[in-house]
Amino acid sequence: MSAMERQPATAKWYDRRDAVFVDFCVEDSKNVKVNFENSKFDFGCVGGTDNIKQQNTVDLFGEINPKDSKYRRTDRSVLVCLRKVEPGKAWPRLTKDKTKCNWLSVDFNNWKDWEDDSDEDLSSFDKFSEMMNTMGRDDVPDFDGAGEEHDFENSDDEQMPALE
């Protein structure tokens, strides 16, 4: 592949009540351009240490609001938020065509079946998820003995005599 050719960026997507998210897995992206239209969007950038030109044009399953759609670039990826014209309508796939795109997969870590949930169920689920995510690993006892010492008090235990 020559340096002038463009290749599609690898991406994962997931559906939410008001928006669809597409996470383009491009590290160290530069010159990111995202162009939103009613039923499609174009993504392009130069990525990685090899400065590979990446280009994706996606004909969408449903319509989006281009003015409310946006993207955020990080060092590891570019997350695109596509605002649905019809909030509450599930998208069974990202693309208009049913053909499988070899660069696209479902982001199961962020996927939620929200269609059957009421708003209350979803908000309580989100709160629960947030609570679980904010619980730090510091709360888990260190069982391999490498961490700090713990004083586990138990009234049944007698004080051990000092070793000589």
Side-chain angles (χ1 to χ4, degrees), residues 29-41:
S29 58
K30 299 179 268 310
N31 304 336
V32 176
K33 291 182 179 63
V34 183
N35 181 36
F36 300 104
E37 296 178 29
N38 290 341
S39 59
K40 78 172 194 171
F41 79 98

Side-chain angles (χ1 to χ4, degrees), residues 154-161:
N154 189 333
S155 59
D156 295 340
D157 290 348
E158 293 177 18
Q159 188 67 31
M160 296 267 307

Side-chain angles (χ1 to χ4, degrees), residues 73-115:
R73 184 202 158 282
T74 68
D75 289 341
R76 300 186 62 79
S77 68
V78 179
L79 182 64
V80 177
C81 172
L82 305 167
R83 284 281 166 205
K84 293 179 180 179
V85 168
E86 297 180 66
K89 183 178 179 192
W91 288 22
R93 61 185 179 277
L94 178 66
T95 57
K96 185 163 96 174
D97 296 330
K98 287 186 179 181
T99 52
K100 173 108 174 79
C101 300
N102 60 1
W103 55 267
L104 182 65
S105 62
V106 172
D107 186 346
F108 289 106
N109 292 334
N110 286 307
W111 194 273
K112 289 181 187 171
D113 280 331
W114 52 262
E115 295 173 80

Side-chain angles (χ1 to χ4, degrees), residues 141-147:
D142 210 336
F143 289 115
D144 63 3

